[in-house]
Amino acid sequence: MRKKIVAGNWKMNKTLEEAGALAAEVMGMVADEVKGNVRVVFCVPFPYLLPIKNQVGNNTRIAVGAQNCSEHEAGAYTGEVSAAMLRSMGIPYVILGHSERRQYFGEDGKLLAKKVDIALKYGLTPIFCCGEPLDVREKNEHEKLVKQQVEEALFHLDSASLEKVVIAYEPVWAIGTGKTASAQQAQDMHAIIRRHLASKYDKSVADNISILYGGSVNAANAKELFASADVDGGLVGGASLKSREFTEIIKAIG
Ligand code: PEP
């Protein structure tokens, strides 16, 4: 049985105080209202990892994740944060390959393969993002591109390592735009990714991997998106910054 996950990507938002208030509100609502078996992840800015982790404490439903890590082990890389550091802080998740990192920081498949390796080496669960920009979808080349993104960053892994990865399909045209993929578009691409994993590994490996949808998920559309067979939850940006909205999204799967 693969895990159901709703991860909030807070990006570069909130002061420390606001971050603490958001976490507290969501934690309270999840405790009171979420019945099902869903893992919630707060993917917070680096400086907030430890305070938010301490706040979450030993809550078994909620975990804390980073939004990136370095491809390097350690050393003279000013401003970077290593997988080993995250591990030493007890952080279990790290988003890798978010489209904003690909677009603004030039991250490509080769680099992401290294980041995936180092994250796994230090026992972190990568939430690996893939997804096509609008022009690629308009040319009907989205399937080819997303398969290629998955191949470049993940296909060098053995199946035991691959099974530790969470994939997030995030069509770039839907991120932060208010434009969501239809439930059918999301399901189609998730099934394509899963079949592609099955063709390289095998069906049981592919069936064990959680594939999240991301791109303008909100309280109104989450239930329909999460109802699809191959959609195992969501990676949520803007709506994860509002406690009530984010909790409703969690409830849509839990
Ligand atoms: C994201 O940043 O991963 C994301 C999906 O953002 P939004 O939900 O705001 O589209």
Side-chain angles (χ1 to χ4, degrees):
M1 266 297 272
R2 47 188 187 254
K3 278 198 198 90
K4 292 176 180 177
I5 300 171
V6 175
N9 176 11
W10 294 5
K11 310 195 189 191
M12 195 175 74
N13 290 297
K14 306 272 179 198
T15 63
L16 178 59
E17 197 181 333
E18 290 164 350
L22 173 61
E25 286 165 20
V26 175
M27 285 167 64
M29 291 180 198
V30 167
D32 292 345
E33 301 171 35
V34 177
K35 304 276 171 281
N37 187 17
V38 52
R39 163 55 65 105
V40 177
V41 188
F42 296 147
C43 295
V44 311
F46 287 132
Y48 304 163
L49 283 168
L50 216 44
I52 300 294
K53 184 184 180 299
N54 289 339
Q55 197 175 334
V56 167
N58 54 12
N59 189 316
T60 51
R61 286 168 142 187
I62 303 182
V64 177
Q67 299 171 14
N68 180 33
C69 72
S70 172
E71 70 276 24
H72 299 292
E73 285 275 351
Y77 300 102
T78 302
E80 289 289 273
V81 172
S82 71
M85 291 172 183
L86 298 176
R87 172 73 189 188
S88 73
M89 293 158 72
I91 300 300
Y93 289 91
V94 59
I95 298 175
L96 294 177
H98 191 278
S99 71
E100 288 150 18
R101 302 269 344 150
R102 292 177 189 262
Q103 187 182 346
Y104 305 135
F105 301 94
E107 297 195 356
D108 61 12
K110 215 167 144 199
L111 177 84
L112 292 169
K114 289 188 195 161
K115 291 194 176 198
V116 166
D117 283 346
I118 204 150
L120 289 171
K121 175 175 173 186
Y122 285 97
L124 306 173
T125 298
I127 302 176
F128 170 74
C129 302
C130 54
E132 78 288 354
L134 186 59
D135 60 320
V136 172
R137 175 152 294 252
E138 282 172 349
K139 282 188 268 171
N140 203 28
E141 289 176 355
H142 46 290
E143 175 172 340
K144 186 169 153 227
L145 179 73
V146 170
K147 281 178 165 174
Q148 187 189 324
Q149 290 172 331
V150 170
E151 284 167 26
E152 285 173 351
L154 302 180
F155 270 22
H156 63 288
L157 299 174
D158 60 24
S159 44
S161 300
L162 184 83
E163 280 185 316
K164 295 180 181 142
V165 175
V166 171
I167 295 177
Y169 168 59
E170 298 207 304
V172 180
W173 47 271
I175 298 179
T177 58
K179 224 179 183 184
T180 319
S182 67
Q184 191 61 54
Q185 285 172 320
Q187 166 58 25
D188 288 349
M189 188 54 87
H190 285 224
I192 286 165
I193 294 169
R194 205 178 300 285
R195 277 200 300 272
H196 199 43
L197 297 172
S199 73
K200 164 77 180 171
Y201 297 88
D202 63 46
K203 190 171 178 308
S204 69
V205 171
D207 282 346
N208 276 336
I209 294 180
S210 298
I211 307 180
L212 316 183
Y213 169 78
S216 297
V217 177
N218 59 39
N221 60 29
K223 214 172 184 79
E224 198 189 344
L225 284 162
F226 296 165
S228 299
D230 286 291
V231 178
D232 306 308
L235 178 55
V236 183
S240 73
L241 299 172
K242 298 174 229 154
S243 54
R244 172 45 61 197
E245 179 102 16
F246 190 53
T247 305
E248 293 304 321
I249 294 170
I250 298 164
K251 283 159 73 178
I253 198 155

